[in-house]
């Protein structure tokens, strides 16, 4: 007698909707990274995820709307990563930079986001808000890890966060232009140099 197969639990409407949204954003990320914002089409993205164009437009009114939703999703994901960063040890913190680049699409998407926002004031304000939130989260990580290590930054933690953000983005773009010229260890060693250079033993006075 054959054993009865265990029925998989049915997804709720909310779960199905979340899964569809995630699939759409992933398809959009791949398409925008490969084709660029201008060349990518809603037809391509809908086909990639197996939806009709009408179903895609039901969720996102335009390609611009979808592109900005993707910006929000990527920034939120990075913020969540930073919130999970351990308070002790610089190694785990530095690995975040490498993980972003290993994912593959972020360097190209970041270029597309900046180029898109530079020509649209409303989009620029949205990008500024998201990037400042990421830097604020970086600042909190720097402050928490400095406290755990018993050191005090020689410069404001906000400036350290800005340097780390610029370094991470810069390395990602350099890696996009010259993958062999940017070794993985650079994403770990160079942030460590910044952090070591701005830290000093905490005074007991």
């Amino acid at each position: 007698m054959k054993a009865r197969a265990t029925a998989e639990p049915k997804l709720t409407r909310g779960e199905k909707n979340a899964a569809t949204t995630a699939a759409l954003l992933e398809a959009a990320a791949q398409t925008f990274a490969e084709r660029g914002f201008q060349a990518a089409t809603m037809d391509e993205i809908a086909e990639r995820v197996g939806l009709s164009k009408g179903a895609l437009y039901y969720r996102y009114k335009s390609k611009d709307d979808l592109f900005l939703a993707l910006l929000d999703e990527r920034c939120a994901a990075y913020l969540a990563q930073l919130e999970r960063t351990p308070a002790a040890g610089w190694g785990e913190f530095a690995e975040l930079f490498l993980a972003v680049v290993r994912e593959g699409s972020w360097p190209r998407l970041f270029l597309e986001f900046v180029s898109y926002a530079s020509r649209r004031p409303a989009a620029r304000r949205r990008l500024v808000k998201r990037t400042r939130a990421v830097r604020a989260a970086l600042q909190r990580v720097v402050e928490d890890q400095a406290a755990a290590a018993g050191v005090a930054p020689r410069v404001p933690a906000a400036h350290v966060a800005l340097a780390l953000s610029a370094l991470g983005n810069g390395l990602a773009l350099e890696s996009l232009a010259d993958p062999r010229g940017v070794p993985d260890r650079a994403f770990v060693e160079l942030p460590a140099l910044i952090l070591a250079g701005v830290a000093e033993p905490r005074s007991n006075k």
Side-chain angles (χ1 to χ4, degrees), residues 128-139:
V128 166
K129 182 178 180 179
R130 302 306 183 272
T131 53
R132 286 181 179 177
V134 170
R135 289 202 300 271
L138 275 170
Q139 179 181 339

Side-chain angles (χ1 to χ4, degrees), residues 176-195:
L176 181 61
D178 180 14
R180 293 185 179 181
V182 184
D184 283 356
R185 66 178 184 274
F187 290 86
V188 177
E189 294 173 351
L190 295 180
L193 284 177
I194 290 178
L195 293 165

